[in-house]
Coordinates of all heavy atoms in Angstrom, one line a residue:
M1 N 14.0 25.5 -7.4 CA 12.9 25.8 -8.1 C 11.7 26.2 -7.5 O 11.4 25.5 -6.4 CB 12.5 24.5 -9.2 CG 11.4 24.8 -10.0 SD 11.0 23.3 -11.1 CE 12.6 23.2 -12.1
Q2 N 11.0 27.2 -7.8 CA 9.8 27.7 -7.1 C 8.5 27.3 -7.8 O 8.5 27.5 -9.1 CB 9.7 29.2 -6.9 CG 11.0 29.7 -5.9 CD 10.8 31.1 -5.7 OE1 10.0 31.8 -6.2 NE2 11.7 31.5 -4.8
V3 N 7.5 26.9 -7.1 CA 6.3 26.5 -7.8 C 5.1 27.2 -6.9 O 5.4 27.7 -5.8 CB 5.9 25.0 -7.9 CG1 6.9 24.3 -8.8 CG2 6.0 24.4 -6.4
T4 N 4.0 27.4 -7.5 CA 2.9 28.2 -6.9 C 2.0 27.1 -6.2 O 1.6 26.0 -6.8 CB 2.1 28.8 -7.9 OG1 3.0 29.7 -8.5 CG2 1.0 29.7 -7.1
I5 N 1.5 27.5 -5.0 CA 0.6 26.6 -4.2 C -0.8 26.9 -4.7 O -1.2 28.1 -4.9 CB 0.7 26.8 -2.7 CG1 2.1 26.5 -2.2 CG2 -0.4 26.1 -2.0 CD1 2.4 25.0 -2.2
T6 N -1.7 25.8 -4.9 CA -3.0 26.1 -5.6 C -4.0 25.5 -4.5 O -3.7 24.7 -3.7 CB -3.2 25.4 -6.9 OG1 -2.9 24.1 -6.8 CG2 -2.3 26.1 -8.0
R7 N -5.2 26.0 -4.7 CA -6.3 25.5 -3.8 C -6.7 24.1 -4.5 O -7.0 23.9 -5.6 CB -7.4 26.4 -3.7 CG -8.7 25.9 -3.2 CD -9.1 26.2 -1.7 NE -8.5 27.2 -1.1 CZ -8.0 27.1 0.3 NH1 -8.4 25.8 0.8 NH2 -7.5 27.9 1.0
C8 N -7.0 23.1 -3.6 CA -7.4 21.8 -4.1 C -8.5 21.4 -3.0 O -8.2 20.7 -2.1 CB -6.3 20.9 -4.1 SG -6.5 19.3 -4.9
G9 N -9.7 21.7 -3.3 CA -10.9 21.4 -2.3 C -10.5 22.2 -1.1 O -10.3 23.4 -1.0
D10 N -10.7 21.6 0.0 CA -10.2 22.2 1.4 C -8.9 22.2 1.7 O -8.4 22.7 2.8 CB -11.1 21.6 2.5 CG -12.5 21.9 2.4 OD1 -13.0 23.0 1.9 OD2 -13.3 21.1 3.0
S11 N -8.0 21.6 0.8 CA -6.5 21.5 1.0 C -5.9 22.4 0.0 O -6.4 23.1 -0.7 CB -6.1 20.0 0.8 OG -6.8 19.2 1.7
L12 N -4.5 22.3 0.1 CA -3.6 23.0 -0.9 C -2.9 22.0 -1.5 O -2.5 20.9 -1.1 CB -2.7 23.9 0.0 CG -3.4 25.1 0.8 CD1 -2.3 25.8 1.6 CD2 -4.1 26.0 -0.1
G13 N -2.4 22.4 -2.8 CA -1.7 21.4 -3.7 C -0.6 22.2 -4.4 O -0.6 23.5 -4.5
L14 N 0.4 21.5 -4.9 CA 1.5 22.0 -5.8 C 1.7 21.1 -6.9 O 1.5 20.0 -6.8 CB 2.7 22.2 -5.0 CG 3.5 21.1 -4.3 CD1 4.5 20.7 -5.3 CD2 4.0 21.6 -3.1
C15 N 2.1 21.7 -8.0 CA 2.4 20.9 -9.1 C 3.9 20.6 -9.2 O 4.7 21.5 -8.9 CB 2.0 21.7 -10.5 SG 0.4 21.8 -10.7
I16 N 4.3 19.3 -9.3 CA 5.7 18.8 -9.3 C 6.1 19.0 -10.9 O 5.5 18.3 -11.7 CB 5.9 17.5 -8.8 CG1 5.5 17.5 -7.4 CG2 7.3 17.1 -9.0 CD1 5.4 16.0 -6.7
P17 N 7.1 19.7 -11.2 CA 7.5 19.8 -12.5 C 8.0 18.5 -13.1 O 8.5 17.6 -12.4 CB 8.8 20.7 -12.5 CG 8.5 21.5 -11.2 CD 7.9 20.6 -10.3
Q18 N 7.7 18.2 -14.4 CA 7.8 16.8 -15.0 C 9.3 16.4 -14.9 O 9.6 15.2 -14.8 CB 7.4 17.0 -16.5 CG 7.4 15.6 -17.2 CD 6.6 14.6 -16.5 OE1 5.3 14.7 -16.1 NE2 7.0 13.3 -16.3
D19 N 10.3 17.3 -15.2 CA 11.7 16.8 -15.1 C 11.9 16.3 -13.8 O 12.7 15.4 -13.6 CB 12.6 17.9 -15.6 CG 12.6 19.2 -14.8 OD1 11.5 19.5 -14.2 OD2 13.6 19.9 -14.7
I20 N 11.5 17.0 -12.7 CA 11.8 16.4 -11.3 C 11.0 15.1 -11.0 O 11.5 14.2 -10.5 CB 11.3 17.5 -10.2 CG1 12.3 18.7 -10.3 CG2 11.3 16.9 -8.9 CD1 12.0 19.9 -9.4
A21 N 9.7 15.1 -11.5 CA 8.9 13.8 -11.3 C 9.5 12.6 -12.1 O 9.7 11.5 -11.5 CB 7.5 14.0 -11.8
S22 N 10.1 12.9 -13.3 CA 10.8 11.8 -14.1 C 12.1 11.2 -13.3 O 12.4 10.2 -13.4 CB 11.1 12.3 -15.4 OG 10.0 12.9 -16.0
C23 N 12.8 12.2 -12.8 CA 14.0 11.9 -12.1 C 13.8 10.9 -10.9 O 14.7 10.0 -10.6 CB 14.6 13.2 -11.5 SG 15.5 14.1 -12.7
I24 N 12.7 11.0 -10.2 CA 12.4 10.1 -9.1 C 11.4 9.0 -9.3 O 10.9 8.3 -8.5 CB 12.2 10.9 -7.9 CG1 11.0 11.8 -8.0 CG2 13.4 11.7 -7.4 CD1 10.5 12.4 -6.8
G25 N 10.9 9.0 -10.6 CA 10.0 7.9 -11.0 C 8.6 8.2 -10.5 O 7.8 7.2 -10.5
L26 N 8.2 9.4 -10.4 CA 6.7 9.8 -10.1 C 5.9 9.9 -11.3 O 6.3 10.3 -12.5 CB 6.6 11.0 -9.4 CG 7.1 11.0 -8.0 CD1 7.0 12.6 -7.4 CD2 6.3 10.1 -7.1
S27 N 4.7 9.4 -11.3 CA 3.7 9.5 -12.4 C 2.4 9.8 -11.8 O 2.3 9.7 -10.5 CB 3.8 8.3 -13.3 OG 3.4 7.1 -12.6
E28 N 1.4 10.1 -12.5 CA 0.1 10.3 -12.0 C -0.4 9.1 -11.2 O -0.3 8.0 -11.7 CB -0.9 10.7 -13.1 CG -2.3 10.9 -12.7 CD -3.3 11.4 -13.9 OE1 -2.8 11.6 -14.9 OE2 -4.4 11.5 -13.5
G29 N -1.0 9.2 -10.0 CA -1.4 8.1 -9.1 C -0.2 7.7 -8.3 O -0.7 6.9 -7.4
S30 N 1.0 8.2 -8.4 CA 2.0 7.8 -7.5 C 1.7 8.2 -6.1 O 1.0 9.2 -5.9 CB 3.4 8.3 -7.8 OG 3.8 7.8 -9.1
R31 N 2.0 7.4 -5.1 CA 1.9 7.8 -3.7 C 3.2 8.4 -3.1 O 4.2 7.9 -3.4 CB 1.4 6.7 -2.9 CG 0.0 6.2 -3.4 CD -0.7 5.0 -2.5 NE -0.9 5.6 -1.2 CZ -1.9 6.2 -0.8 NH1 -3.0 6.6 -1.5 NH2 -2.2 6.5 0.5
V32 N 3.0 9.4 -2.3 CA 4.1 10.1 -1.7 C 3.9 10.2 -0.2 O 2.8 10.2 0.3 CB 4.6 11.5 -2.3 CG1 5.0 11.3 -3.7 CG2 3.4 12.4 -2.3
E33 N 4.9 10.3 0.6 CA 4.8 10.7 2.0 C 5.1 12.2 2.1 O 5.9 12.8 1.4 CB 6.0 10.0 2.8 CG 5.9 8.4 2.7 CD 4.9 7.9 3.7 OE1 4.4 8.6 4.6 OE2 4.4 6.8 3.5
V34 N 4.2 13.0 3.0 CA 4.4 14.4 3.1 C 4.7 14.6 4.7 O 3.8 14.1 5.4 CB 3.3 15.2 2.6 CG1 3.4 16.6 2.9 CG2 3.1 14.9 1.2
E35 N 5.9 15.3 4.9 CA 6.1 15.5 6.3 C 6.5 16.8 6.6 O 7.2 17.5 5.6 CB 7.2 14.4 6.8 CG 6.8 13.1 6.7 CD 7.9 12.1 7.1 OE1 9.1 12.2 6.4 OE2 7.9 11.4 8.1
A36 N 6.5 17.4 7.7 CA 6.9 18.8 8.1 C 8.2 18.5 9.1 O 8.1 17.8 10.0 CB 5.9 19.5 8.8
H37 N 9.4 19.2 8.6 CA 10.6 19.0 9.5 C 11.2 20.3 9.7 O 11.6 20.9 8.6 CB 11.5 18.0 8.9 CG 11.2 16.5 9.1 ND1 11.2 15.9 10.3 CD2 10.8 15.7 8.2 CE1 10.7 14.7 10.2 NE2 10.5 14.5 8.8
S38 N 11.3 20.9 10.9 CA 12.1 22.2 11.1 C 11.5 23.3 10.1 O 12.5 23.9 9.5 CB 13.5 22.0 11.0 OG 14.0 20.9 11.9
G39 N 10.4 23.5 9.9 CA 9.8 24.5 8.9 C 9.9 24.2 7.4 O 9.7 25.0 6.7
R40 N 10.2 22.9 7.2 CA 10.3 22.5 5.8 C 9.3 21.5 5.5 O 8.9 20.7 6.4 CB 11.8 22.0 5.4 CG 12.9 23.0 5.5 CD 14.2 22.3 5.4 NE 15.2 23.2 5.4 CZ 15.8 23.8 4.4 NH1 15.4 23.4 3.0 NH2 16.8 24.6 4.4
I41 N 8.9 21.5 4.3 CA 8.0 20.3 3.9 C 8.9 19.3 3.1 O 9.5 19.7 2.2 CB 6.9 20.8 2.9 CG1 6.0 21.9 3.6 CG2 6.0 19.7 2.4 CD1 5.1 22.6 2.7
V42 N 8.8 18.1 3.5 CA 9.6 17.0 2.8 C 8.6 16.1 2.2 O 7.7 15.5 2.9 CB 10.4 16.3 4.1 CG1 11.2 15.2 3.4 CG2 11.4 17.2 4.6
I43 N 8.8 15.9 0.9 CA 8.0 15.0 0.1 C 9.0 13.9 -0.4 O 9.8 14.1 -1.0 CB 7.3 15.7 -1.1 CG1 6.5 16.9 -0.7 CG2 6.5 14.7 -1.8 CD1 5.9 17.8 -1.6
S44 N 8.5 12.6 -0.1 CA 9.4 11.5 -0.6 C 8.4 10.4 -1.1 O 7.2 10.4 -0.7 CB 10.2 11.0 0.6 OG 9.4 10.8 1.8
V45 N 9.1 9.6 -2.0 CA 8.2 8.6 -2.6 C 7.9 7.5 -1.7 O 8.7 7.2 -0.8 CB 9.2 7.9 -3.7 CG1 8.4 6.7 -4.4 CG2 9.6 8.9 -4.9
A46 N 6.6 7.2 -1.5 CA 6.1 6.2 -0.5 C 6.7 4.8 -0.7 O 6.9 4.4 -1.9 CB 4.6 6.1 -0.5
R47 N 7.3 4.2 0.2 CA 7.8 2.8 0.1 C 6.6 1.8 0.2 O 5.8 1.9 1.0 CB 8.7 2.6 1.4 CG 9.8 3.6 1.5 CD 11.1 2.9 1.0 NE 12.1 3.8 1.2 CZ 12.9 4.6 0.3 NH1 12.4 4.5 -1.0 NH2 14.0 5.3 0.6
Q48 N 6.6 0.9 -0.7 CA 5.8 -0.2 -0.7 C 6.2 -1.2 0.3 O 7.3 -1.5 0.5 CB 5.7 -0.7 -2.1 CG 5.1 0.2 -3.2 CD 3.8 0.7 -3.0 OE1 2.9 -0.2 -2.6 NE2 3.4 1.9 -3.3
P49 N 5.2 -1.7 1.1 CA 5.6 -2.7 2.0 C 6.0 -3.9 1.3 O 5.7 -4.3 0.3 CB 4.3 -3.0 2.8 CG 3.2 -2.5 1.9 CD 3.8 -1.4 1.1
R50 N 7.1 -4.5 1.8 CA 7.6 -5.8 1.3 C 7.2 -7.0 2.3 O 7.5 -7.0 3.5 CB 9.2 -5.8 1.2 CG 9.8 -4.7 0.6 CD 9.7 -5.0 -1.0 NE 10.3 -4.0 -1.8 CZ 10.4 -4.0 -3.0 NH1 10.1 -5.1 -3.7 NH2 11.1 -3.0 -3.7
Y51 N 6.5 -8.0 1.6 CA 6.0 -9.1 2.4 C 6.8 -10.3 1.9 O 7.2 -10.4 0.7 CB 4.5 -9.3 2.1 CG 3.6 -8.1 2.5 CD1 3.1 -7.2 1.6 CD2 3.4 -7.9 3.9 CE1 2.3 -6.2 2.1 CE2 2.6 -6.8 4.4 CZ 2.1 -6.0 3.4 OH 1.3 -5.1 3.8
R52 N 7.0 -11.2 2.8 CA 7.5 -12.6 2.6 C 6.3 -13.6 2.6 O 5.4 -13.4 3.4 CB 8.7 -12.9 3.5 CG 9.8 -12.0 3.3 CD 11.0 -12.4 4.4 NE 11.2 -13.7 4.5 CZ 11.4 -14.3 5.6 NH1 11.7 -13.7 6.6 NH2 11.6 -15.6 5.6
L53 N 6.5 -14.5 1.7 CA 5.3 -15.5 1.5 C 5.1 -16.2 3.0 O 4.0 -16.4 3.4 CB 5.7 -16.6 0.6 CG 4.6 -17.6 0.3 CD1 3.3 -16.9 -0.1 CD2 4.9 -18.5 -0.9
E54 N 6.3 -16.4 3.6 CA 6.1 -17.2 5.0 C 5.4 -16.3 6.0 O 4.5 -16.8 6.8 CB 7.5 -17.4 5.6 CG 8.4 -18.4 4.7 CD 9.0 -17.9 3.6 OE1 9.1 -16.6 3.5 OE2 9.4 -18.7 2.7
E55 N 5.5 -14.9 5.9 CA 4.8 -14.0 6.8 C 3.3 -14.1 6.5 O 2.5 -14.0 7.3 CB 5.3 -12.6 6.7 CG 6.7 -12.4 7.1 CD 7.3 -11.1 6.8 OE1 6.6 -10.3 6.1 OE2 8.4 -10.7 7.3
L56 N 3.0 -14.0 5.3 CA 1.6 -14.0 4.7 C 0.8 -15.3 5.1 O -0.4 -15.2 5.4 CB 1.5 -13.7 3.2 CG 1.9 -12.5 2.8 CD1 2.1 -12.3 1.2 CD2 1.2 -11.3 3.4
L57 N 1.5 -16.4 5.0 CA 0.8 -17.7 5.3 C 1.1 -18.2 6.7 O 0.5 -19.2 7.1 CB 1.6 -18.7 4.3 CG 1.3 -18.5 2.9 CD1 2.0 -19.6 2.0 CD2 -0.2 -18.4 2.5
A58 N 1.7 -17.4 7.6 CA 1.9 -17.8 9.0 C 0.6 -18.3 9.7 O 0.5 -19.2 10.5 CB 2.6 -16.9 9.8
A59 N -0.4 -17.5 9.4 CA -1.7 -17.9 10.1 C -2.6 -18.7 9.3 O -3.7 -19.0 9.8 CB -2.4 -16.5 10.4
M60 N -2.3 -19.2 8.3 CA -3.1 -20.1 7.4 C -2.9 -21.5 7.9 O -2.0 -22.3 7.3 CB -2.6 -19.9 6.0 CG -2.7 -18.5 5.5 SD -4.3 -17.8 5.5 CE -5.1 -18.7 4.1
T61 N -3.6 -21.8 8.9 CA -3.8 -23.3 9.4 C -5.1 -24.0 8.9 O -5.9 -23.2 8.6 CB -3.6 -23.3 11.0 OG1 -4.7 -22.7 11.4 CG2 -2.3 -22.6 11.3
P62 N -5.0 -25.2 8.9 CA -6.3 -25.9 8.5 C -7.5 -25.3 9.4 O -8.6 -25.1 9.0 CB -6.1 -27.3 8.7 CG -4.6 -27.5 8.3 CD -4.0 -26.3 9.0
A63 N -7.2 -25.2 10.8 CA -8.2 -24.8 11.7 C -8.7 -23.4 11.4 O -9.9 -23.1 11.3 CB -7.8 -24.9 13.1
A64 N -7.7 -22.4 11.0 CA -8.2 -21.2 10.7 C -8.9 -21.0 9.4 O -9.8 -20.1 9.2 CB -6.8 -20.3 10.7
M65 N -8.6 -21.9 8.4 CA -9.2 -21.8 7.1 C -10.5 -22.5 7.1 O -11.4 -22.2 6.2 CB -8.3 -22.5 6.1 CG -7.1 -21.7 5.7 SD -7.4 -20.1 5.0 CE -8.3 -20.6 3.5
H66 N -10.9 -23.4 7.9 CA -12.0 -24.2 8.0 C -13.2 -23.3 7.8 O -14.3 -23.6 7.0 CB -12.2 -25.1 9.1 CG -13.3 -26.1 9.0 ND1 -13.3 -27.1 8.2 CD2 -14.4 -26.2 9.7 CE1 -14.3 -27.8 8.2 NE2 -15.1 -27.3 9.1
G67 N -13.3 -22.1 8.6 CA -14.5 -21.4 8.5 C -14.6 -20.4 7.4 O -15.6 -19.8 7.1
S68 N -13.6 -20.4 6.6 CA -13.6 -19.5 5.4 C -14.4 -19.9 4.3 O -14.8 -19.2 3.5 CB -12.2 -19.3 4.8 OG -11.2 -18.8 5.8
F69 N -14.6 -21.2 4.2 CA -15.4 -21.8 3.2 C -16.4 -22.7 3.6 O -16.2 -23.7 4.4 CB -14.5 -22.6 2.2 CG -13.5 -21.9 1.6 CD1 -12.3 -22.0 2.2 CD2 -13.6 -21.0 0.5 CE1 -11.1 -21.3 1.7 CE2 -12.6 -20.3 0.0 CZ -11.3 -20.5 0.5
D70 N -17.7 -22.4 3.3 CA -18.9 -23.2 3.9 C -19.5 -24.0 2.8 O -20.3 -23.5 2.1 CB -19.9 -22.3 4.7 CG -21.0 -23.1 5.2 OD1 -20.9 -24.4 5.4 OD2 -22.1 -22.4 5.7
W71 N -18.9 -25.2 2.7 CA -19.5 -26.1 1.6 C -20.5 -27.1 2.1 O -20.9 -28.0 1.5 CB -18.2 -27.0 1.0 CG -17.2 -26.0 0.4 CD1 -16.1 -25.9 1.1 CD2 -17.1 -25.2 -0.8 NE1 -15.2 -25.1 0.3 CE2 -15.9 -24.7 -0.9 CE3 -18.1 -25.2 -1.8 CZ2 -15.6 -23.9 -1.9 CZ3 -17.7 -24.4 -2.8 CH2 -16.5 -23.8 -3.0
G72 N -20.9 -26.9 3.4 CA -21.8 -27.9 4.0 C -20.9 -28.8 4.8 O -19.7 -28.8 4.8
P73 N -21.7 -29.7 5.6 CA -21.0 -30.8 6.2 C -20.1 -31.7 5.3 O -20.5 -32.0 4.2 CB -22.1 -31.6 7.0 CG -23.3 -31.3 6.2 CD -23.0 -29.9 5.6
D74 N -18.9 -32.1 5.9 CA -18.1 -33.1 5.1 C -18.8 -34.5 5.3 O -19.3 -34.8 6.3 CB -16.7 -33.1 5.8 CG -15.9 -31.8 5.6 OD1 -16.2 -31.1 4.6 OD2 -14.9 -31.6 6.5
F75 N -18.6 -35.2 4.2 CA -19.1 -36.6 4.2 C -18.2 -37.5 3.3 O -17.6 -36.9 2.3 CB -20.6 -36.6 3.9 CG -21.0 -36.3 2.5 CD1 -20.9 -37.1 1.4 CD2 -21.2 -35.0 2.3 CE1 -21.3 -36.8 0.1 CE2 -21.4 -34.5 0.8 CZ -21.6 -35.4 -0.1
G76 N -18.3 -38.7 3.5 CA -17.5 -39.8 2.7 C -15.9 -39.3 2.8 O -15.5 -39.2 3.7
S77 N -15.3 -39.4 1.6 CA -13.8 -39.2 1.6 C -13.5 -37.8 2.0 O -12.3 -37.5 2.0 CB -13.3 -39.7 0.4 OG -13.8 -39.0 -0.7
E78 N -14.4 -36.8 2.0 CA -14.1 -35.3 2.3 C -13.9 -35.3 3.8 O -13.4 -34.2 4.2 CB -15.3 -34.6 1.9 CG -15.6 -34.5 0.4 CD -16.8 -33.7 0.0 OE1 -17.5 -33.5 0.9 OE2 -17.0 -33.4 -1.1
A79 N -14.5 -36.2 4.6 CA -14.5 -36.0 6.1 C -12.9 -35.9 6.6 O -12.1 -36.8 6.2 CB -15.1 -37.1 6.8
I80 N -12.6 -35.0 7.4 CA -11.3 -34.8 7.9 C -11.4 -35.1 9.4 O -12.2 -34.4 10.0 CB -10.9 -33.3 7.6 CG1 -10.7 -33.1 6.1 CG2 -9.3 -33.1 8.2 CD1 -10.3 -31.7 5.6
E81 N -10.4 -35.9 9.8 CA -10.5 -36.2 11.3 C -9.8 -35.2 12.1 O -8.8 -34.7 11.6 CB -10.0 -37.6 11.6 CG -10.8 -38.6 10.8 CD -12.2 -38.8 11.5 OE1 -12.3 -38.7 12.6 OE2 -13.1 -39.1 10.8

């Protein structure tokens, strides 16, 4: 299928036909990867990073978190040794 390249500010753009967009799950606002390979333009759906809770919490230690919240000095039963 051929489409026409259009001006989009200082860049160029193209319209992806709806039937093709539907087949691969694209909608307005979807993010794609654009690469050039051997004289071809390759457009693919951007992969969302997958995070594991253990990875996200790895650096969350009491010492690392202490500076994140400034409630003033600890006193009474709030004091942590």
